[in-house]
Amino acid sequence: MAEVVRGLPRYAVYGAPMELLIQSLERTPTPLTLRELLAHGGKPGKAPTPDVLRRSAVYVQRELPIRLARRVRQFYSLPFIVGSNPWVQSVARLYASSFAQLATAPPIETPEGHARFTRVLQGLVNDHAENVPKLSRGFMECKEYMDTNQVTKFLNAALHSRIGIRIIAEQHLALAAMAEQNSSNDTQTEYRLTPTSIGIIETQMRPMNVVLSSCDYVRALCEATFEIAPKVEFDGDIEATMVGVPVHLEYVMTELLKNAFRATTENYLSKRKEGIATSEIPSVRVTFGSSRDHVSIRIRDCGGGIPPQNMNQIFSYAFTTANEQKAAETNDEPADVASQGMQSGMGTLAGLGYGLPMARLYVNYFGGSDLDIVSLWGHGCDAFVRLSRQMGSSDVPI
């Protein structure tokens, strides 16, 4: 039997360099906070200075290999038959390859070196874009070899870590884009840079604006699927602002609104077929609340609620009302594709049941925030999102 060091054999794990892997595993990830990210990102709406950009790059080059090494070790801990699954193994090898690229990259000492590093980092972000759909399919195929608790524990750690890795990488890439935009007067960038943003962090994020953007997308999707869609009514403190990551909140709101729109529309169409529907489809109501410590959002629908026997499963991975086989098909008719799209904001994850658990991970990531669902069976659901204003709260690296 191969000699084992810190739970790893003395040979390459999914192709990762063993000595470098062991060195990184001996180090502890730095807790990630919005406050720290803002402190190292310069001023809102201003291009970072070369010194700020260099310090950010050095931080990324130091921090990411530590987190990536832990993911490689986590994949190695899976039962052999699960780790050998082609979908799971492809993600594991990608993490190992990314670790090797960053762990062996030369120190960043010149603008040219920073430009090369940024290109590598952008490539890695693009390469990992489909990790979640791949993992979902892999674990669906391996569900008989791991119980629900084991799968949940693995995926919570893997997806929690993925959020942190992407925040670190995309924050630096957004800062680099701001610097490039400033030097070339080019207004084109994939990152949403505003006069009040620092990288991907918005210092004056207005949740109402995020919800409006999600509503437009979900309404179009609902109309394409069912030919009708409920209206959305807003009340409460719609002017509330806070520090946050808009793309994270947009994912959460899109998932919750998809559930509300789909349930409301299906419930209305069912009642109309029975001749007991109201003259108009009921509205979805979004209410905002604000206090010194939190901004709260409630999404209320009249979609009939969740059956009581299913309530304890709604935050479990792979729990879905969609048919598994249909969700896995790739040659559906357009209407089927649109219907599956109402299941999830992850595109190819449609119908695989990862929407709510991932939404909760995003909400909880920086601590002090939460997501909960309250169902009134036979009437509808209330989804509650509480967003903390405490920027000092940090993730707990796993």
Side-chain angles (χ1 to χ4, degrees), residues 205-209 236-242 288 290:
M205 182 177 73
R206 186 170 174 242
M208 173 68 172
N209 290 345
D237 189 359
I238 62 175
E239 300 297 333
T241 61
M242 62 182 299
F288 298 87
S290 179

Side-chain angles (χ1 to χ4, degrees), residues 224-281:
T225 305
F226 301 107
E227 298 184 350
I228 60 171
K231 296 179 181 178
V232 181
E233 299 176 359
F234 301 94
D235 59 18
D237 189 359
I238 62 175
E239 300 297 333
T241 61
M242 62 182 299
V243 177
V245 183
V247 292
H248 289 182
L249 183 59
E250 186 172 315
Y251 171 78
V252 175
M253 291 297 104
T254 298
E255 288 305 316
L256 297 178
L257 287 167
K258 279 186 176 183
N259 290 342
F261 271 60
R262 175 173 175 257
T264 299
T265 306
E266 289 184 342
N267 192 45
Y268 172 75
L269 292 175
S270 176
K271 288 184 176 181
R272 190 172 71 176
K273 187 175 181 180
E274 297 173 8
I276 58 174
T278 57
S279 58
E280 289 187 353
I281 183 170

Side-chain angles (χ1 to χ4, degrees), residues 206-217 219 230-239 253 257 261 283-289 296-300:
R206 186 170 174 242
M208 173 68 172
N209 290 345
V210 178
V211 173
L212 284 172
S213 176
S214 294
C215 279
D216 289 341
Y217 170 72
R219 181 182 297 107
K231 296 179 181 178
V232 181
E233 299 176 359
F234 301 94
D235 59 18
D237 189 359
I238 62 175
E239 300 297 333
M253 291 297 104
L257 287 167
F261 271 60
S283 298
V284 171
R285 180 174 290 276
V286 181
T287 303
F288 298 87
S296 300
I297 307 170
R298 182 188 68 191
I299 299 176
R300 170 170 288 181

Side-chain angles (χ1 to χ4, degrees), residues 19 59 73-75 87 93 139 142 158 160 172 179 185 191 220 247 265 283 313 320 348 387-388 391:
E19 293 303 319
Y59 167 74
R73 180 176 63 183
Q74 185 197 25
F75 277 100
W87 294 107
R93 290 190 178 279
F139 278 98
C142 296
H160 180 276
H172 180 73
N185 294 319
Y191 297 98
V247 292
T265 306
S283 298
Q313 303 179 70
T320 176
T348 51
L387 304 171
S388 175
M391 295 187 299

Side-chain angles (χ1 to χ4, degrees), residues 263-264 267 299-306 311 373-383:
T264 299
N267 192 45
I299 299 176
R300 170 170 288 181
D301 68 60
C302 297
I306 300 168
M311 279 301 297
I373 306 290
V374 176
S375 170
L376 183 60
W377 176 232
H379 179 73
C381 281
D382 283 7

